[in-house]
Amino acid sequence: MVALAGFVLAGCADLGYYWQSASGHLGVMRAARPVPQWLDDPATPAALKAKLELTQRIRRFAVTELHLPDNPSYTGYADLHRSAAVWNVVAAPPYSLTLKTWCFPVAGCVGYRGYYDEAQAKAEADAQRAQGLEAAVYPVPAYSTLGWLNWAGGDPLLSTFIGYPEGELARLIFHELSHQLLYVSGDTLFNESFATAVERIGGARWLATEAGDAARAEYAQYDARRQQFRALTFATRRRLQAVYNSPQAEAKDWAAVEAMKREAMAAFRADFAALRNGWPPQRQAAYDAWAARANNATFGAQAAYDDLVPGFEALFEREGRDWPRFYAAVKAMAALPKDERHAALQGVAPPARTAGTAQPSAAQ
C-alpha cells in the first residue's frame, strides 16, 4: 500500500492533522540508521542482515537497470515497532465508487487521508460515516516523500515491509522510487498506475535475472494468489458500477439499488470464501482483512493502482522496452490535461486490456 507522507502534504490541513503528520514522519526519521550500521551491529539478527543486504542489491538494480533515482532513499532502516507505517482513511458515497478527496499543496487532491496513529485514523473514518459516507481504514507498509526529504536521508527501509518475500520487496522499492521520478499533482490514478507498471515490469526483470529458483518459486505462489484475488475484486467492482449506473439508480429507486448492491456484496464474500478455501494457510490475513472491510471506499481505492497500468505497459513496449525513452514518453503525457493524459494511455493499451484489473490496497 502506498501513501504520501503527511509531513510533505499537510500544509493546508488543520493544525492537529499537520502536527500528527509532521511528528509522525519525524519519528520515522529518528528511528532510521544507515544500513551499514545495522550490518555491523552484532545485535542485528542474521535474517534481518540478509534482508538488508538484499535491499541494497535491489536498490542498485533499480538505479542501473531501471534508471530510477540514485539518492539516499532506502540506504537506511528503521524498526517502527508497529504493524504499519501509516493508516489510510478512504471514504465514498453509499451508491458510488468515487472516493472523497482531500486536497494538499504538493499532492493536490487525493482520495485518502493518512495517519501515523491507527486510533486517529479510525476516528476520522467514524467522522466520515457520520456524514453518510462509507469509510474504511487500511494499513500502509510504505510511503514516499517524493524525494523532498532526500537532503535529510530520504525514505528509509521499514520493519513494516522488510520481511516481504524477495520478489515483493523488489516491487515495493521500485514502486516507491518511481514516485520520486515522476509525480503529477492531483492525479492519483496516473501516479499509482505508473508506479505499479514500473514495479511489475521491473519486478519481473529482477526475478528473471537476479533471483534464485527458491525466490522465483516463492513469488509465483504469492503472485498466483494475488491474481486470483484481483480477478474477483475487479469483477465485483464492475458489478457494483453497473448497479450504480442502472436504470434504478437513474430513477433514484434507492431501495432497488440497495437490494442489488447487497446481492453483489454477498456474492463477493461467498466467492472469496470459496477462493480462500483453495489457498494454503500462509499469508491470508491481509486478504481476510480486506474482504472483511470491503465496501465502496475500498473498491474505489483499488482502481488507482491498476486501471491505467495496461496503457503504461503498452507504452513501455512501444518505446522498445527502453527505460529512458519510456520515462520521456510518460513525462510528455504528464504535461497534458488530466482527461487527455488518461485518454492517451487508454489509447495505447490493447483494447482487451484497457479496463485493467484492481490491486488490493492492503493485500500486496
Side-chain angles (χ1 to χ4, degrees), residues 1-345:
M1 260 2 329
V2 179
L4 299 171
F7 181 76
V8 175
L9 306 181
C12 288
D14 59 89
L15 184 59
Y17 182 73
Y18 177 83
W19 174 250
Q20 73 85 30
S21 299
S23 60
H25 184 69
L26 289 173
V28 171
M29 295 176 66
R30 283 196 298 268
R33 288 193 290 156
V35 167
Q37 290 186 17
W38 289 95
L39 296 177
D40 292 339
D41 188 341
T44 303
L48 176 57
K49 287 185 178 182
K51 285 287 190 178
L52 291 175
E53 289 170 344
L54 172 62
T55 63
Q56 300 312 284
R57 297 198 301 273
I58 291 171
R59 186 185 167 283
R60 286 194 294 272
F61 182 89
V63 172
T64 60
E65 299 297 323
L66 309 186
H67 297 266
L68 289 169
D70 186 8
N71 56 45
S73 286
Y74 307 114
T75 61
Y77 170 72
D79 188 343
L80 300 184
H81 301 285
R82 61 178 187 258
S83 61
V86 294
W87 286 265
N88 274 0
V89 179
V90 287
Y95 303 120
S96 172
L97 299 179
T98 301
L99 295 177
K100 173 178 178 174
T101 57
W102 287 269
C103 298
F104 305 103
V106 175
C109 297
V110 297
Y112 55 84
R113 186 169 165 99
Y115 290 85
Y116 286 86
D117 180 82
E118 186 177 12
Q120 291 185 31
K122 290 180 176 179
E124 176 65 31
D126 287 341
Q128 297 305 315
R129 295 184 188 104
Q131 297 177 33
L133 300 178
E134 294 186 359
V137 175
Y138 63 89
V140 179
Y143 60 79
S144 174
T145 58
L146 307 180
W148 283 67
L149 295 179
N150 281 326
W151 62 271
D155 300 330
L157 301 159
L158 300 174
S159 54
T160 50
F161 63 79
I162 197 67
Y164 281 11
E166 180 175 331
E168 290 302 300
L169 193 55
R171 283 170 56 118
L172 186 145
I173 292 172
F174 300 157
H175 186 112
E176 300 304 338
L177 286 174
S178 298
H179 284 311
Q180 296 193 23
L181 181 72
L182 177 72
Y183 183 85
V184 181
S185 179
D187 196 345
T188 301
L189 176 57
F190 187 86
N191 296 325
E192 294 298 347
S193 292
F194 166 68
T196 298
V198 172
E199 73 164 71
R200 290 186 191 176
I201 299 167
R205 184 169 296 185
W206 170 269
L207 288 167
T209 63
E210 303 295 324
D213 291 341
R216 283 192 284 269
E218 181 182 37
Y219 179 81
Q221 182 184 66
Y222 195 100
D223 194 53
R225 188 179 308 184
R226 174 170 46 204
Q227 295 294 345
Q228 291 175 327
F229 189 76
R230 280 179 180 163
L232 171 60
T233 54
F234 178 59
T236 304
R237 277 180 49 221
R238 290 205 300 181
R239 183 172 180 177
L240 287 170
Q241 194 63 62
V243 169
Y244 303 149
N245 292 338
S246 67
Q248 292 88 337
E250 289 288 331
K252 298 185 179 180
D253 183 354
W254 301 124
V257 173
E258 178 66 22
M260 291 188 293
K261 173 186 175 181
R262 288 181 182 275
E263 183 179 352
M265 292 300 296
F268 163 71
R269 292 195 166 92
D271 290 343
F272 173 70
L275 182 64
R276 187 188 186 283
N277 286 339
W279 288 346
Q282 297 83 7
R283 304 189 70 88
Q284 288 187 354
Y287 292 100
D288 290 344
W290 200 101
R293 62 176 172 261
N295 61 19
N296 285 343
T298 57
F299 281 108
Q302 287 181 315
Y305 289 86
D306 258 6
D307 273 6
L308 295 180
V309 171
F312 282 113
E313 291 176 333
L315 184 62
F316 183 73
E317 296 294 333
R318 192 191 77 181
E319 297 301 325
R321 300 182 65 82
D322 180 276
W323 288 102
R325 283 175 51 188
F326 169 64
Y327 295 145
V330 172
K331 289 176 181 178
M333 284 187 176
L336 298 172
K338 185 175 183 178
D339 289 345
E340 290 183 28
R341 77 174 73 105
H342 289 193
L345 276 170

